[in-house]
Amino acid sequence: MLAIELDTSVEKVERDIEFLENTGLIRRVRFSGTQDKTPPCNGCSGCGTGGKACAGCMPEGGFQHMGVMWEVVNGGGR
């Protein structure tokens, strides 16, 4: 979808993402059914401890259909 949006090839997008990861500017977000929240949500015992996230912290249907996501690293790896 990103390649289509940028009017380029999938391979170029993959190379660019790999470069950004290797330079520490972005990191892949891993979804495992748990969330690390600081501070934890109100009433959830799992979110703040790395345990299973409560239903209030999970998107509808969980994370199984979220695809691949990245986040910008503060400071750009510096």
Side-chain angles (χ1 to χ4, degrees):
M1 288 173 38
L2 188 56
I4 292 168
E5 184 70 26
L6 297 172
D7 192 29
T8 190
S9 69
V10 171
E11 292 80 14
K12 170 127 175 55
V13 171
E14 289 172 344
R15 281 192 308 269
D16 290 348
I17 289 172
E18 182 178 356
F19 172 78
L20 293 171
E21 282 182 303
N22 290 338
T23 57
L25 294 171
I26 63 173
R27 69 177 156 231
R28 187 171 180 167
V29 177
R30 306 275 182 202
F31 295 110
S32 63
T34 63
Q35 286 187 335
D36 296 321
K37 289 188 177 276
T38 307
C41 68
N42 294 329
C44 175
S45 62
C47 293
T49 62
K52 187 164 181 60
C54 69
C57 291
M58 298 280 282
E60 188 174 329
F63 291 118
Q64 66 267 23
H65 302 293
M66 293 290 290
V68 179
M69 297 178 68
W70 291 267
E71 65 184 352
V72 175
V73 176
N74 288 334
R78 296 181 194 142

